[in-house]
Every structure is written in structure tokens, then in C-alpha cells.
Amino acid sequence: MYSQIIQERVAQLRNEINFHNYRYFVLDSPLVSDGEYDQLMDELRTLEATYPELRTLDSPTQRVSGEAAEGFTKVEHPAPILSLDKATSREDIFVWHTRISKLLPEDASLSPLGNRAPAYVVEPKFDGLTVVLHYENGQLVLGATRGDGQIGEDITTNLRTINTLPLRIPVTPDGPQPPAYLVVRGEVLILLKDFEQLNARLAEAGQPTFANPRNAAAGSLRQLDPRVTAERPLTLYAYHIVTASHPVVASQWDALHYLKTLGFPIAAPLKNGDEVIRRFETLDSVADYCAEMNERRDMLLYEADGLVIKIDDLATQEALGAVGGRPRGAVAYKFPPQEATTTLNDVEFSVGRTGVLTPTALLVPTSIAGVTVSRASLHNFDFIKERDIRIGDRVLVRRAGDVIPYVVGPIVDARDGSEQSIQAPTVCPSCGDPIVHPEGEVAYMCINAACPAQRVQKLNYFAHVLDIEGLGERTAEQLVAQGLVAVPADLYTLTKAELLTLEGFADKKAENLLASIASSTGRDFARVLAALGIRGVGTTIAQVLATAFPSLDALALTSTESLAAVEGIGPIIAESIQSWFTRAHNREMVEKLRQAGLRLRVAPTPESAVPSQTGPLPLKGLNFVITGTLSRPRDEVKAWIEARGGKVTGSVSSKTHYLIIGENPGGNKYNRAQQLNIPMLDETALYTLTK
Ligand code: IVH
């Protein structure tokens, strides 16, 4: 039951969203702001919620659908998913080349290369998980793991949750039409910056963290519950056409660029924007590039354990064939590992904003690829126990990019018996209160709400999320230590005189900080929600919540069951939100934030509507009809529309622009609107019309 107009609008929104996804993820050059993008998504979600019949599996809103699986079904690959031979030196690269040159027909005219110069494509060797994606008439129909190279596992539902993975190709209206059947190989991974955030989030929630991005990607992909996968920041890079119903390209270079025009992300450039994927005409330049990239590997946005060198001409690759499951036409140049062994001197425990203790290894300083490393992550106490890491141990430490290095494990053979086991602290290193270790959880926690370390971290987090310039960890420490701020809401009653009592604060600095605190009252509801620091509610989940609930008060009144029914919200987060609101000190904080003028609701709503003659009139010229029960008295909604220039009439006619539908809508208005093809909106969609 929907009109033609709605159907067209839904199709248009999907096209636009897919297009913006492509600009953002594949081309890295977005044309709209995040806010504008969110608005399109919100409108599409609202329409699909009102007209569930319009939902299709390839809609950008439907990345998470489906329930937890019992296990994964086996699927056969259309062609073997081969691995590669390795090269670890310049010499190895030349040896590989000499070997394959001998296999090509001596008579150049017989060579698939003909008279063209040979060429090589060099790509990053992503350290992630290989996936095989099947498209039929442009629709993603199957996604599988590599498995043993012949048979993989069907992980389609999990793969669908990856934002950068096209559900339908081409993703832009002007992209080429794909072959009827197309199978693409790619790698799923987690970008280094996302990995750090993910681990921080898990640690705060008292959940086990991942040892490295690859493990995190693997653990997330093989999740039986796609809702968990959806919460993980997975990324995809495509690099190979496994098979197609008709040949589409003749070279690897063209294959990569063809994949890109279809909408697949291919290897992202280095941090400074330099392309990583390169094409060379001589083997010397290939080897030079390998050496150069080895030096610059910290510039990559993801972990790569080397580069892959491929003969560009696909017919030559084909002619070279494979031996022992490895194609001859490509070779993996492996970077030397960025690892070192050193001695673990001690372990430091720090208290995070939720009270969880995080262990950090204090090391005898050592150099890894030119960088001195003296501290490394130990993830959590379970990791220490699992690996039986002891003080005095020689440990293997690895680093990648700029992220904090991590301990891989102890070198057990290097022990001399003097090593000491590591004990979890029994009292909080900050406040001295007893540490608790909740049954069945990984975390060791300080549960003292007044613990200074927690207060500092909470304040620091709040300032970070609300973008309060000039309030970093150091200032947060000073504010807490001086007793000026206990909870973030206290920021809004700070005075200049108080700030001047802090070391290093003079007039200008105090004024600047007060100004940035004041400007944080203008942040939108979703951000404020994220800043509250509710366990499990980071910026992404806060956005989901702000779309589903118009205000913090509405959220506070929602039952755990209703919360968990929201797409993207699992039972654990639902429970965490509920229990956050039951605590008196959290409710007090909300009241303080309200008084300070922070935004605790989305967009304007009837409540806040003061009819304004001078303000903009975004609904001018539009006629509305209301049917059914709305969340507030109909008069209020009417006043809200009128304050924005709209008109509300009692019956639907050809002059009506929108029918606003509440609960139990009246049949007459509804049927009439349908006959006349008049768009129907729910209450939330009405309020977003003026955004
Ligand atoms: S090409 C015929 N290219 O590295 C195609 N593989 O042993 C053969 N890998 O697990 C693979 N990045 O999945 C190729 N740019 C890239 C790659 C890549 C990562 C993986 C591959 C395999 C391993 C090679």
C-alpha cells in the first residue's frame, strides 16, 4: 500500500546513498557532509519502516538482516583460490622472473605478450582474510571464505554488513554494466585506526580485546551473529577477477580499475595520498619500488605483510599456469617483520573511564624498524594469563603503522627461572579501592564512582566527543585534582576565576576554554548521547539511537526489550542503556546538562516550538493532513507545522502535499491519499522535513 511517488523516492534515495557511499569509500572524495548523508539514510529508513513491502535486500539500510546462524554452509569455489610463492629479497624477485621467462615461448610472436613490452603491477599484500564474492546480474548472491582454496564457507550475511562492499553493482548509475556472472576476490581487513578504536571500545566494555587487526577481522567475519559483525569496522579491498561470464579486461591494471568503476574499493593510497598500486615496465623498477615501500610501510592505513608483484597481461598469467597451487604469474614480496625481542621490566595498570584496568608492558627500550619502543599493549589480564607472560621474560613485540606496539608473546626458551608471574592488582592504582573481577568477565575493575582516574578519563572522553578544544587529558587531570569538576556536567558552571587557579592558566587560556565549553552546547543530540559514556554507546550506536528516539527522555523511558528491537542494538547494549538511566547520579547529570542547555533531543519538535514570525518558514506553501494518534496532542503538532509556514487541513484533497500518519490512522484519509498518490510520512519524518 504505497504510492508511485513513494516508490520512486525510495529508488532515488537508494541510488543517491549508493552513489555517496562510492564517493566516500571508493573514491575517498565525498560530495556531501556526514549530516546530509545521515539525512538521506534517515528518510529512507523512515519510508521503509512505513512501507515494509518496499524493503529489498539490496537496500543500503539492510546491511544487517538475518539472525544468528547455527554454522556456515560449505560452498565450492568456481575456480581454485590460489595462494602465492614468496620472495624476501631483490634477488628472489629476479629468480622468480628468470624461472618464468624460461617458460614463455622463445618466439616472441607466440607469446601472449606479442610485441608489447612486459609490464608488472605491484599491489599491497593485505594482511586480512580472503573472500570470494559472487554477483549475478549485479546482485551480490554469495560471499565465501577461502577455506582450503577449493571449498570455502558461506559468510554472505556477515559480508553484507561491510559498508564498503557493494550489494549491487554498478553502484553508480553511470558505471559499466557488469557481466551477468562475476566473481571477485578481495581481502577483508580492519584499518589500523579503526582497530585501535575497536579495542578501546571492547576494553571499556570489559570484553576481550584482539591481539592484532587480522585476528579482529577474522573473529568478526566468522561470527555466527551478523549483528556482532555489523558492530565491527570491517573494510574490503578487491584485487582479482576470479571468473566472469564473458571476459571484461585483458590486464591486471585494467581489472583493478574496472573493479573500481563497478564500485569496489581497491587498495587505498598511503597516508600522504600517494598511490600504492603501481605499474612498472622493468623488473628493476619493481624491485626498487619494493625496497622503497619497505621503508614507507608505516604510511599504509592497514597492515600489509608485503607487496604482490603480478604480470600485468592476464593472458600471459594464464599461459604460465600454476604449480603446487601457486600461480607462476605472481609472487608475494614479503616485508621483513616489524618485530623485536626485548625484556619485560614491569607491567603498569591504568584505569579507564569505565573503571576497567588495562595492562601496559614496560620494556627495555628496543628499536623496531627505526622506532624506539619502550611500552607495548598487553590487551587485558586474560591475555597475560593465556600466554603465561612473566616479568623478566624476553617478549616478542610487534608494531605496525603509528598504532601502539603490542606484545605477541613470551620467548619461553629464553627463561632462566628468575621470571616472576604477573598479579592482577587487588586495589585500584588511582583511588586504592578494592578491585573487582566480575564472574565470567575478562575485566578487572575499579567500581568506585568517585575514583579520580575514572573521573579524568570520563571528562577527557566527554570533551573529546563534544569536541571541546583545549580540554585534553592534562587539563582534565588538573580540573579533577583541584576538585573543580567531578562529573562532565560540572564544566558548564566553571568560572574564569576558578580556571585561573590552575597551573599554566592565564586570562587568554581560561577564556578560550570557557568559550569552547560554551560552544559544545550546540552539538547535536547524537553527539551528546555518545558523550554520556554509556557502556557500548559510541558515536555509531548513538547515531542509531538518535534516529530511533527523538529525545533522551524518550530513550530513558524505553524498555530493554523495545531497545533491543531497534535495528543495530543488541541485548547487551539495550541492557547497558537501561541500567545507566536507573542510576541516580546519571539522572542528575542529565538534569545538569539540560540546565546547561545541551541538546537532549533531535531537531525541533512541537514542545520547543514557539511560533516565530521572523524565523525561516521551511514548510511554507505545503498543506498537511493528520490522521491517527501522534506522540503528542494533535493541536501541538498543528501549531508546530503552522509555526513553520505549513497549513493543516481536515481532509485530503488534490491540494494536500503530505499525509502525516500516526497510530491507528483513519481509513478515509488514508485511502483518499493513496488514490491521489499523496506521500505519507510518520511523525519523525515530519520533523526531519525542516532539518
Ligand atoms: S593475488 C591469482 N593480491 O595473500 C591471485 N593476493 O598467498 C592470487 N593477498 O591469501 C592472489 N593481498 O589472498 C593477491 N593484492 C593481493 C593480495 C593477495 C593479499 C593474499 C591472498 C593470499 C595471500 C597470498
Side-chain angles (χ1 to χ4, degrees):
M1 301 238 274
Y2 43 83
S3 67
Q4 182 75 23
I5 298 178
I6 303 258
Q7 215 169 346
E8 279 168 13
R9 179 70 186 145
V10 165
Q12 187 190 11
L13 284 166
R14 286 182 188 153
N15 281 337
E16 269 189 52
I17 291 167
N18 284 334
F19 174 71
H20 291 308
N21 270 338
Y22 178 72
R23 297 285 321 188
Y24 185 89
F25 291 116
V26 181
L27 301 185
D28 196 18
S29 102
L31 293 179
V32 290
S33 67
D34 289 359
E36 288 165 300
Y37 175 86
D38 291 344
Q39 218 167 316
L40 295 173
M41 274 299 260
D42 286 352
E43 187 182 345
L44 181 57
R45 276 204 196 95
T46 307
L47 289 173
E48 288 181 351
T50 319
Y51 310 98
E53 333 57 304
L54 285 180
R55 264 186 213 158
T56 57
L57 263 182
D58 66 1
S59 171
T61 59
Q62 298 298 301
R63 288 198 177 263
V64 193
S65 63
E67 297 290 309
E70 295 280 313
F72 298 110
T73 335
K74 301 264 186 274
V75 286
E76 197 168 337
H77 297 307
I81 300 303
L82 305 172
S83 61
L84 295 172
D85 253 345
K86 290 184 193 61
T88 51
S89 63
R90 189 178 185 98
E91 209 184 6
D92 282 357
I93 297 173
F94 281 86
V95 170
W96 161 72
H97 197 260
T98 315
R99 204 168 51 228
I100 60 170
S101 306
K102 287 190 193 135
L103 293 170
L104 288 174
E106 268 175 39
D107 178 351
S109 66
L110 287 179
S111 152
L113 280 179
N115 291 325
R116 277 173 293 135
Y120 313 88
V121 172
V122 184
E123 304 166 19
K125 183 173 177 317
F126 308 105
D127 200 3
L129 283 106
T130 302
V131 292
V132 183
L133 309 167
H134 298 231
Y135 289 84
E136 273 172 26
N137 299 317
Q139 302 275 340
L140 173 76
V141 291
L142 173 70
T145 60
R146 177 175 186 271
D148 63 4
Q150 306 289 333
I151 292 177
E153 286 180 321
D154 179 349
I155 51 162
T156 318
T157 318
N158 288 346
L159 287 170
R160 300 173 57 82
T161 66
I162 302 176
N163 266 320
T164 55
L165 187 148
L167 300 177
R168 186 180 65 189
I169 47 173
V171 299
T172 61
D174 52 354
Q177 277 310 309
Y181 179 54
L182 176 72
V183 181
V184 172
R185 178 169 171 180
E187 202 87 351
V188 168
L189 48 84
I190 295 183
L191 300 180
L192 289 167
K193 67 167 178 18
D194 293 338
F195 172 69
E196 272 197 291
Q197 280 174 16
L198 170 66
N199 260 355
R201 206 175 77 206
L202 290 171
E204 271 160 14
Q207 289 175 21
T209 48
F210 291 104
N212 57 55
R214 190 179 188 283
N215 286 4
S220 309
L221 259 195
R222 295 203 73 261
Q223 265 293 333
L224 288 171
D225 188 344
R227 286 165 300 190
V228 177
T229 314
E231 288 176 357
R232 304 281 168 77
L234 295 166
T235 298
L236 167 88
Y237 290 119
Y239 56 77
H240 185 63
I241 296 176
V242 177
T243 183
S245 47
H246 62 85
V248 276
V249 286
S251 73
Q252 173 64 11
W253 183 256
D254 289 348
L256 291 170
H257 293 91
Y258 174 74
L259 287 170
K260 184 167 169 172
T261 55
L262 284 182
F264 292 92
I266 59 170
L270 297 177
K271 276 177 207 159
N272 66 353
D274 284 359
E275 284 301 335
V276 183
I277 301 177
R278 301 269 293 270
R279 186 175 181 278
F280 297 99
E281 299 204 337
T282 69
L283 202 60
D284 262 318
S285 47
V286 168
D288 289 348
Y289 181 60
C290 289
E292 176 194 327
M293 276 304 297
N294 187 19
E295 295 295 312
R296 299 176 79 196
R297 53 190 290 197
D298 279 357
M299 304 278 283
L300 288 164
L301 303 173
Y302 37 80
E303 282 201 347
D305 51 349
L307 297 167
V308 183
I309 306 166
K310 301 177 182 176
I311 301 281
D312 189 27
D313 186 75
L314 295 178
T316 307
Q317 275 203 32
E318 177 88 3
L320 283 166
V323 59
R326 296 165 203 282
R328 291 194 184 92
V331 68
Y333 166 77
K334 300 270 274 186
F335 295 141
Q338 278 182 305
E339 290 173 346
T341 62
T342 183
T343 305
L344 176 66
N345 274 340
D346 205 354
V347 177
E348 178 188 277
F349 286 88
S350 55
V351 187
R353 72 181 160 86
T354 54
V356 174
L357 295 189
T358 323
T360 301
L362 305 181
L363 308 164
V364 170
T366 180
S367 166
I368 306 181
V371 176
T372 304
V373 174
S374 55
R375 301 165 66 86
S377 164
L378 278 165
H379 315 297
N380 52 55
F381 207 77
D382 257 20
F383 178 78
I384 297 176
K385 271 197 295 194
E386 222 171 74
R387 306 284 161 117
D388 184 24
I389 300 170
R390 305 178 191 175
I391 289 171
D393 257 341
R394 265 203 101 65
V395 286
L396 182 65
V397 182
R398 183 182 297 158
R399 63 175 281 273
D402 303 327
V403 308
I404 173 161
Y406 51 87
V407 172
V408 180
I411 316 284
V412 177
D413 286 347
R415 287 192 178 146
D416 63 10
S418 66
E419 297 77 15
Q420 303 285 312
S421 68
I422 299 165
Q423 302 301 324
T426 52
V427 295
C428 172
S430 171
C431 67
D433 264 27
I435 290 298
V436 293
H437 182 40
E439 185 72 34
E441 275 196 37
V442 180
Y444 284 78
M445 311 183 63
C446 165
I447 54 166
N448 172 14
C451 170
Q454 282 183 56
R455 284 188 164 167
V456 169
Q457 293 308 324
K458 280 199 174 92
L459 183 58
N460 188 36
Y461 177 80
F462 183 88
H464 173 74
V465 177
L466 289 192
D467 214 359
I468 303 180
E469 224 180 295
L471 213 180
E473 193 166 336
R474 171 84 192 103
T475 306
E477 267 167 15
Q478 288 178 288
L479 289 168
V480 171
Q482 288 302 308
L484 295 179
V485 174
V487 297
D490 298 339
L491 285 175
Y492 298 95
T493 49
L494 274 177
T495 63
K496 186 172 163 188
E498 285 172 331
L499 287 180
L500 290 175
T501 65
L502 301 180
E503 201 189 310
F505 271 78
D507 266 11
K508 189 87 193 130
K509 191 165 170 185
E511 278 163 19
N512 286 347
L513 182 55
L514 287 176
S516 48
I517 292 172
S519 74
S520 70
T521 59
R523 307 286 182 256
D524 65 21
F525 172 46
R527 275 238 245 162
V528 176
L529 188 51
L532 295 177
I534 303 172
R535 261 187 170 206
V537 182
T539 44
T540 316
I541 298 290
Q543 196 65 56
V544 171
L545 290 171
T547 311
F549 302 96
S551 69
L552 199 65
D553 296 334
L555 186 62
L557 291 172
T558 307
S559 68
T560 318
E561 295 73 42
S562 314
L563 280 168
V566 175
E567 192 187 294
I569 308 295
I572 296 172
I573 295 179
E575 175 62 41
S576 148
I577 297 169
Q578 254 289 304
S579 72
W580 193 89
F581 282 109
T582 59
R583 287 189 208 115
H585 64 265
N586 289 333
R587 288 200 307 269
E588 270 165 35
M589 160 113 156
V590 168
E591 286 322 307
K592 282 190 189 174
L593 294 176
R594 196 190 309 274
Q595 275 160 27
L598 274 91
R599 295 199 185 168
L600 305 184
R601 55 170 57 255
V602 246
T605 68
E607 236 176 37
S608 62
V610 182
S612 105
Q613 263 69 52
T614 50
L617 299 174
L619 303 183
K620 196 170 157 63
L622 296 177
N623 299 321
F624 294 80
V625 173
I626 303 174
T627 180
T629 314
L630 304 177
S631 72
R632 33 199 99 241
R634 197 178 284 190
D635 279 353
E636 276 188 25
V637 180
K638 184 165 181 266
W640 184 88
I641 293 174
E642 287 167 355
R644 282 152 188 80
K647 256 203 209 128
V648 179
T649 59
S651 62
V652 174
S653 75
S654 60
K655 299 212 177 70
T656 308
H657 292 94
Y658 289 103
L659 178 64
I660 308 303
I661 300 201
E663 279 190 37
N664 304 321
N668 281 344
K669 290 175 182 172
Y670 184 86
N671 293 340
R672 184 97 182 103
Q674 250 216 311
Q675 280 164 12
L676 295 170
N677 273 347
I678 289 163
M680 304 181 206
L681 302 176
D682 70 1
E683 207 181 337
T684 319
L686 165 67
Y687 302 144
T688 54
L689 278 181
T690 56
K691 269 213 264 186

